Amino acid sequence: MNAIAPQVSSATPLPSAAELDRSLRDASPAEVIAAALKAVGRDKLALVSSFGTESATLLKVMADVDPAIPVIFLDTGWLFEETLAYRDTLVATLGLKDVRSIKPAEETLSREDPERDLWFSDPDACCRIRKVEPLTRALKPFSAWLNGRKRFQGNARADIPVVEDDGARLKFNPFANVSREELEAIFVRAKLPRHPLAASGFRSVGCMPCTSRTAEGEDERAGRWRGRAKTECGIHTMKSS
Ligand code: SF4
């Protein structure tokens, strides 16, 4: 079913994150996305996706609600070729109508990472210029965003609400409540294609230098920034403006 994007008057006050979180606490992912659309309208809502190993599931649920919701993809300059190909596969498979690939500012890269080794010397700074700053710019026109974090991923994600306020806009986490088994069921039911690297042991895929395979029994995000204290890139802790 494709929802018709509601027209939201600029004079309509947005419901608070706390109110929405209360009313959507037990809602399905599709109901959360439909509620986000209703709250702000399609022109003011974006979904942020890494086109990683689990991304197809949220994109599928979104496409069933409205495939024209803008999707922001951060092309950091360090992604695997397989991820770029997977983005194109999912755009075609799901009929996504508005995927925007966002790149870091060239002048910032030349100034702060001329040798492309910042990921090694200062990964927080690298994530800032390649992910956080470009996303902050890309989100400026929007009043709300959707993302695919799950509580079962643990660490900083263990307690995420369904709806929160990131300091500048509403942030919807439609998969906050879902289990790993439910995600797998979406993959199977919709016959979704897998990320090309999933079959070779990559259970969470980000940038090339900061992604490694995970061993049996390891946490699925253990391969990200392996050997460092870092577990998040910063886009979910930023206070955007
Ligand atoms: S994940 Fe690694 S390469 Fe990608 S932006 Fe962060 S530090 Fe840089």
Side-chain angles (χ1 to χ4, degrees), residues 9 16 35 51 59 67 78 83 110 117 122 131 158 194 203 215 236:
S9 151
S16 74
F51 289 82
L59 291 166
W78 269 121
T83 298
S110 322
D117 56 2
D122 189 346
K131 293 185 174 182
R194 305 283 176 166
R203 286 162 63 214
H236 293 296

Side-chain angles (χ1 to χ4, degrees), residues 39-60:
V40 300
R42 185 205 286 147
D43 292 346
K44 293 289 177 189
L45 178 66
L47 184 150
V48 176
S49 179
S50 65
F51 289 82
T53 52
E54 291 170 344
S55 299
T57 51
L58 182 61
L59 291 166
K60 165 66 179 158

Side-chain angles (χ1 to χ4, degrees), residues 66-185:
D66 184 347
I69 293 172
V71 176
I72 296 173
F73 169 63
L74 292 171
D75 183 352
T76 63
W78 269 121
L79 296 180
F80 291 90
E81 284 297 318
E82 288 87 343
T83 298
L84 300 176
Y86 191 49
R87 169 198 58 190
D88 298 342
T89 300
L90 290 181
V91 168
T93 307
L94 299 174
L96 305 177
K97 299 204 180 319
D98 188 3
V99 174
R100 306 175 188 186
S101 294
I102 307 296
K103 297 192 177 202
E106 280 301 334
E107 63 170 22
T108 307
L109 294 183
S110 322
R111 190 180 60 245
E112 298 194 34
D113 193 12
E115 306 298 330
R116 285 175 63 82
D117 56 2
L118 196 57
W119 66 269
F120 182 72
S121 58
D122 189 346
D124 285 339
C126 186
C127 280
R128 175 177 50 76
I129 63 170
R130 291 179 182 273
K131 293 185 174 182
V132 177
E133 290 176 358
L135 181 61
T136 302
R137 281 193 295 275
L139 282 176
K140 274 212 186 304
F142 299 102
S143 304
W145 57 302
L146 306 158
N147 72 96
R149 288 173 306 156
K150 282 77 68 176
R151 290 192 193 124
F152 74 69
Q153 291 173 311
N155 291 319
R157 304 183 176 199
D159 299 317
I160 54 170
V162 174
V163 187
E164 57 196 310
D165 185 331
D166 77 355
R169 54 188 64 76
L170 294 169
K171 182 172 178 183
F172 290 81
N173 308 312
F175 277 174
N177 287 320
V178 303
S179 65
R180 192 175 274 114
E181 292 71 27
E182 286 168 313
L183 286 189
E184 184 57 26

